[in-house]
Each structure stands twice: as C-alpha cells, then as structure tokens.
Amino acid sequence: MKRKRALVTGSAGFIGSTLSERLLREGYEVYGIDAFVHNYDRRLKEQNLQGLLTNPQFHFWERDLRCLDFDELLSRVDVVFHQAALPGVRTSWGAQFQEYVDHNILVTQALLEAAKHSHVQKIVCASSSSVYGGMSGPTDETVTPQPVSPYGVTKLAAEQLGQLYANVFGVPVVSLRYFTVFGPRQRPDMAFHKFIKNVLSGEPIDIYGDGEQSRDFTFIDDAVTANLLAATSPVAGEVFNIGGVSQLTVNEVIALLETHTGKTALLRRLPEQPGDPRHTFADISKARQQLGYDPQFDIEKGIWLQIQQVRSLYNL
C-alpha cells in the first residue's frame, strides 16, 4: 500500500510535534514546517523535534508560512494538519494584534486558497475554546461565539474562513476547538508548565483573581487522537469541541500539583486579566457522535506525566 503523506504546520510546537510522532507511528510520511515564531524559546521547540529528525519518513523545513508557496507543498500530501498559529490571549492586545492577524487569519486563508486546486483529502485546523468567551456550563457548538480577546477573534475568523471555503469551493476542512491542552511539551507560557516549574523550584505562582476560575483540561494524547479521527472522517465544513474528562478550578490544580510534587506552592495573588474567560466547559457530544472521539486521560495521570517532563527539562 502507498504510504499516506501528511503536512503538519507548526510541527516544532507542543501539539504539532506530538502529532507528527503519532502520524509516523501510524505509518504516515510526514512533512513538517515551522517558522519558530518568537512566542517562546526556540531551544525548546528544537528539543521537540529531536526524535522526529532521526526518522527518514519525516521531512522538515523552517519556513515562514506567511511567505510560503502552498500550491507546491500541497501537491506532495494527502492530508494537512494546520497547527501553526500565534497563541496567547494576554499578548494579543495592542500593536501585536497585527501579528495575530498575519499568522492566524492570513496564513489560514492562503492555505485554503491553495487547497481549492489541490487533491488534498482533508485539512484539519486547530482552533480554540477562546472563540466562545466565557461559559457558565457545558457549551456545545450551537452556542454563538463571543470571544473576549483579540486572539479569540482571530481563531474564530480562521474557523469561519474554513467553513466558507468548504461551502463555496468544497474544500474538505474541519476545525477543532481545543480546550486547554496539557501534558509533556506544553508551551512554557501556559499555566500547567509555569505552575509545575515554579512549584518544583520554589518560585511563587501568579494567580490572577480568586483562583476559582475553571478550565476543561484535555490531555495531549486525546487532542492528537481527535486530529486523526477528524482526518479520516467524511465530515467537512464543521467545527468540533475537543475537551477532556476533567474540569477543575485553578485552586484545585494547585492542590493536585502539591500532592504530586510533595511541595507547597507559594502563591502571589494578582488582579484578573482582561481577555481571560472565567470558565470553559466543553460539551463534546458532537465529536463523540460524528468523529468517534472518546477522551481517556484523567487529570491526575496527565499532571504526573507533565511533572516528570518538566523535572527533566529543567533538572529540578
């Protein structure tokens, strides 16, 4: 049988590198591309790639997607996993917003435009629960998005471009709304990574507000599985919530970290941040029914695995 070929944008990142490894194990030939944008230390992204670069079925290019010839690249592959984006709610305000527009909206539009004339069988785009804004309970895809940050606005625009190109040109695109993905390789600016590092090193943890804000947490392996399910499903022009099996407050997360590290967290209370939703809570019924998505990892196992990776990363 002919080996299937996949393009993974953002392949040096947290989800992109983990997804690339899974695709190789599943028998894909993988084309990885990453611009090494400045959102965090390049060395961490290079570490994410180390195991991939030794595999002869993985081909990597360092390229700025804003200047890429997608037509030539799409001619090589059967499926695209578009993970590349400029992330971060708090940094998307002000003058930096132009970068978010460039990386999150214009790159996605260029990819979709090229896909109109390609033989790509499916494009799976990474979106975010940030499109919803605040949530008071389980939230499904019928809820009208109301992002509360410029970042969320750009992710919603990218989703809507995908639906537009699917409806008008038949581009086979699906968007996955991730709910706080965590686990080994998580970005250093994300809460779990920062909390674990600071607990282990005895540094204070910044808690914005009262710590009773809650998140629906998704372990990295479940998020990767969702991508593979979406890539092989017949659906197109749809968005899906991708959540996990645990919903906790920040205070509950801190308590779990103390239990699994055997250390007491030093807390520094700060005002709430603009653009941070109070709660996120995924109703994943649609993904269960249409994709067969069934998350498996609970929060405690996932936290333990991430603690081990952070210990190793910083020799703590």
Side-chain angles (χ1 to χ4, degrees):
M1 290 181 62
K2 179 183 176 183
R3 187 183 293 270
K4 291 197 74 171
R5 300 166 299 170
L7 168 65
V8 180
T9 69
S11 59
F14 168 38
I15 298 176
S17 63
T18 310
L19 172 60
S20 295
E21 290 178 348
R22 174 73 176 275
L23 289 168
L24 291 170
R25 292 198 300 271
E26 296 282 338
Y28 283 76
E29 183 176 3
V30 178
Y31 294 83
I33 190 163
D34 204 290
F36 291 97
V37 293
H38 54 77
N39 59 313
Y40 65 94
D41 191 341
R42 178 188 177 108
R43 290 173 296 179
L44 295 179
K45 298 178 184 181
E46 290 174 340
Q47 287 184 27
N48 293 343
L49 286 173
Q50 283 180 355
L52 290 163
L53 294 174
T54 62
N55 191 312
Q57 297 302 325
F58 181 74
H59 317 281
F60 180 74
W61 293 280
E62 180 178 349
R63 295 286 190 277
D64 187 332
L65 272 68
R66 295 173 294 181
C67 310
L68 193 69
D69 179 2
F70 275 111
D71 291 303
E72 193 278 332
L73 195 53
L74 294 190
S75 69
R76 302 180 182 217
V77 300
D78 306 300
V79 61
V80 177
F81 297 92
H82 183 40
Q83 305 296 312
L86 188 58
V89 167
R90 295 169 190 161
T91 53
S92 63
W93 300 92
Q96 280 189 275
F97 181 62
Q98 181 62 56
E99 289 191 77
Y100 282 81
V101 171
D102 291 348
H103 286 284
N104 298 355
I105 300 177
L106 298 183
V107 166
T108 302
Q109 190 271 340
L111 168 63
L112 294 168
E113 189 68 23
K116 284 166 43 180
H117 313 293
S118 77
H119 298 289
V120 167
Q121 298 164 12
K122 185 62 68 70
I123 300 174
V124 183
C125 290
S127 189
S128 167
S129 62
S130 296
V131 303
Y132 288 115
M135 306 174 203
S136 57
T139 301
D140 67 19
E141 296 85 351
T142 64
V143 171
T144 301
Q146 293 182 306
V148 293
S149 69
Y151 166 73
V153 169
T154 65
K155 296 305 285 184
L156 179 58
E159 277 188 13
Q160 292 178 328
L161 281 168
Q163 292 173 292
L164 180 64
Y165 274 79
N167 293 336
V168 176
F169 300 110
V171 175
V173 60
V174 166
S175 295
L176 304 182
R177 291 174 175 168
Y178 298 143
F179 281 70
T180 313
V181 182
F182 75 102
R185 298 185 193 165
Q186 189 189 48
R187 298 194 325 264
D189 61 300
M190 294 185 73
F192 273 26
H193 189 119
K194 292 192 293 186
F195 289 177
I196 293 169
K197 180 184 177 184
N198 287 15
V199 169
L200 291 174
S201 62
E203 297 295 319
I205 293 174
D206 291 340
I207 303 296
Y208 297 98
D210 60 9
E212 286 303 300
Q213 58 267 46
S214 65
R215 295 289 181 269
D216 196 313
F217 294 102
T218 312
F219 189 66
I220 179 63
D221 288 8
D222 287 326
V224 165
T225 295
N227 274 269
L228 269 69
L229 290 169
T232 55
S233 75
V235 298
E238 298 285 348
V239 297
F240 294 94
N241 289 342
I242 302 301
V245 295
S246 302
Q247 210 229 10
L248 290 89
T249 66
V250 171
N251 291 329
E252 289 171 330
V253 169
I254 298 298
L256 276 177
L257 293 180
E258 291 179 324
T259 298
H260 287 285
T261 61
K263 295 178 178 289
T264 300
L266 303 176
L267 304 182
R268 181 164 54 198
R269 300 284 180 178
L270 299 170
E272 291 185 12
Q273 294 289 291
D276 278 353
R278 180 70 173 169
H279 304 289
T280 66
F281 200 153
D283 181 335
I284 60 172
S285 301
K286 182 179 177 181
R288 286 187 187 278
Q289 293 164 4
Q290 296 190 29
L291 301 181
Y293 175 63
D294 184 25
Q296 298 295 312
F297 273 81
D298 65 31
I299 194 79
E300 294 216 25
K301 181 175 181 180
I303 281 180
W304 185 87
L305 289 169
Q306 188 168 351
I307 288 171
Q308 309 318 306
Q309 188 257 338
V310 173
R311 279 189 191 275
S312 174
L313 185 63
Y314 298 107
N315 296 314
L316 296 171

